[in-house]
Amino acid sequence: MAREKGGFWVGFAVPFFYSIGWLTGRPRYQGREHLPARGGALLVGNHISHLDPIHTGTYVHSAGRVPRFLAKSSLWQVPVLGQVLRGSGQIPVYRDSADAQQSLAAGTQALADGKIVIIYPEGTITRDPDGWPMRSRTGVARMALASDVPVIPMVHWGTREVLNGYEKK
């Protein structure tokens, strides 16, 4: 399998993502055969913990692809993390602003360019006390309809038990 080239910043982030993933659980990945070896794909997952992007990223990377996340724009202001996000081609989401449409356009362009784009339809970790998904935002449907790529559902189990973002467990 030929590995998609990610560049310096992806290579920089990989040891951190894999280490944190290993320290916070023993991930069991299933269904990796559904990720295309090349070409665009929209990976749509539930978001129950702040650990989800780490496990989603290692899932996609271990399949030989580079993950491109739609993530809240405030993360680009965090020292070091912001540079990694910029340098690795992640897509900022400008919530509740006139620039919010830019993230969908950038995500759709990444899909057209043959990238794997990860989106969490709720736009944040669930606030449901039992961990159930909240109401989805329309961005995932709009990107799917605007792109001729597979839409691959994904689910996380157990990350909320390791790190619950609202109960600070």
Side-chain angles (χ1 to χ4, degrees):
M1 158 178 68
R3 179 168 288 285
E4 182 181 348
K5 299 207 184 304
F8 172 80
W9 289 106
V10 170
F12 177 83
V14 161
F16 295 101
F17 270 57
Y18 278 86
S19 296
I20 292 169
W22 185 82
L23 289 171
T24 60
R26 301 299 180 268
R28 290 185 309 257
Y29 301 136
Q30 297 176 355
R32 227 181 330 226
E33 67 275 8
H34 299 292
L35 288 177
R38 65 182 78 64
L42 184 59
L43 190 58
V44 182
N46 64 328
H47 200 10
I48 56 175
S49 170
H50 294 297
L51 292 174
D52 297 338
I54 289 172
H55 291 285
T56 305
T58 56
Y59 173 79
V60 171
H61 187 266
S62 66
R65 301 296 305 271
V66 175
R68 301 310 192 293
F69 288 90
L70 272 84
K72 62 183 176 181
S73 60
S74 61
L75 295 174
W76 272 250
Q77 307 308 314
V78 177
V80 182
L81 177 60
Q83 184 58 46
V84 171
L85 293 170
R86 271 186 293 285
S88 62
Q90 306 311 308
I91 303 164
V93 176
Y94 303 96
R95 294 177 173 176
D96 302 319
S97 74
D99 295 331
Q101 294 295 323
Q102 290 179 5
S103 60
L104 295 180
T108 302
Q109 183 60 53
L111 291 168
D113 292 342
K115 310 298 183 195
I116 292 201
V117 174
I118 296 122
I119 186 168
Y120 298 117
E122 301 149 311
T124 188
I125 61 173
T126 185
R127 290 183 180 92
D128 182 87
D130 295 322
W132 287 96
M134 299 183 306
R135 171 169 275 149
S136 181
R137 298 181 185 259
T138 61
V140 64
R142 291 165 43 199
M143 283 178 55
L145 290 170
S147 306
D148 186 23
V149 299
V151 177
I152 304 166
M154 177 181 199
V155 65
H156 295 98
W157 292 100
T159 54
R160 189 168 177 262
E161 280 70 35
V162 177
L163 179 63
N164 185 325
Y166 292 109
E167 294 182 14
K168 304 300 181 207
K169 288 185 187 176

